Amino acid sequence: MQGFVGAEFSLVEYGDYECPYCRAAAPVIEEVRAELGDRLVFAFRHFPLADVHPFALSAAVAAEGAALMGKFWQMHALLFSGDEPHLTQADIRGYAEQLGIPPEKVTWPKTQFVEDRVEADFNSGVRSGVRGTPTLFVNGKQYRGEITEEKLLAALTRGSEEPDEIDEIDEADRSRSG
């Protein structure tokens, strides 16, 4: 989670590091975060679509392994970097080295103990109606609009101008911070 619990605005993304749509959304979300600063709390929740993205699960687990070393967001940025995903075990080891993390801390089998975090995020998404990635929740409601800086900022700061763009988030997930 980036930002402060209780911030004026909240944005939750259910994403998959191998998803091209998540990769396209990442810089947009970064711009929104930069624009709103401390007024926004942002949480990324793992929703690896392993059936279609064979490296998504290992990337999600690597991010959680990096989180234990205090480097989730740095790993998150590297996993989404570049025009195409580079998420093999060799790529992930290289990212770990760039971040000063022992590579074995972010690759299987040492990451088995963080797999439950990824599974919890995925299950949270299923309960909240997530069917694909990226799925965004803006101020606790599912956002169904186009993922552009302008539209996300409008949805966050003024609410959606089109009622069909936002649905309620599952109450069981409202209390989970990321």
Side-chain angles (χ1 to χ4, degrees):
M1 183 173 71
Q2 284 190 324
F4 303 99
V5 174
E8 186 177 355
F9 309 115
S10 68
L11 179 62
V12 175
E13 176 186 2
Y14 284 91
D16 171 325
Y17 289 110
E18 199 170 350
C19 169
Y21 304 107
C22 293
R23 184 169 296 282
V28 173
I29 291 169
E30 285 300 314
E31 289 296 321
V32 168
R33 289 179 44 224
E35 176 77 23
L36 294 176
D38 289 341
R39 297 170 55 203
L40 177 71
V41 61
F42 172 65
F44 181 85
R45 295 190 184 157
H46 304 286
F47 203 80
L49 301 172
D51 290 346
V52 292
H53 299 139
F55 299 109
L57 180 58
S58 61
V61 171
E64 287 302 322
L68 295 177
M69 307 295 287
K71 301 212 175 186
F72 174 85
W73 293 107
Q74 295 93 326
M75 180 64 83
H76 175 83
L78 288 171
L79 292 169
F80 273 138
S81 66
D83 293 332
E84 295 291 325
H86 297 283
L87 305 173
T88 66
Q89 291 295 290
D91 295 324
I92 290 170
R93 281 187 206 94
Y95 298 150
E97 288 172 355
Q98 285 180 39
L99 298 175
I101 299 171
E104 65 275 4
K105 298 283 187 184
V106 297
T107 54
W108 197 87
K110 295 283 188 180
T111 54
Q112 289 176 335
F113 63 95
V114 295
E115 289 175 359
D116 61 330
R117 293 178 182 204
V118 174
E119 185 176 356
D121 280 359
F122 188 87
N123 290 336
S124 163
V126 170
R127 285 191 308 274
S128 295
V130 174
R131 293 186 184 95
T133 58
T135 296
L136 303 178
F137 286 86
V138 169
N139 300 325
K141 298 178 180 181
Q142 189 171 358
Y143 176 77
R144 297 185 183 278
E146 185 180 359
I147 300 175
T148 65
E149 183 181 355
E150 179 182 332
K151 290 194 177 203
L152 271 179
L153 283 169
L156 282 158
T157 60
R158 294 189 300 272
S160 175
E161 296 181 11
E162 296 183 34
D164 291 348
E165 287 187 0
I166 296 187
D167 292 334
E168 290 289 329
I169 190 171
D170 181 65
E171 281 298 320
D173 291 330
R174 193 176 299 278
S175 64
R176 191 160 175 271
S177 62

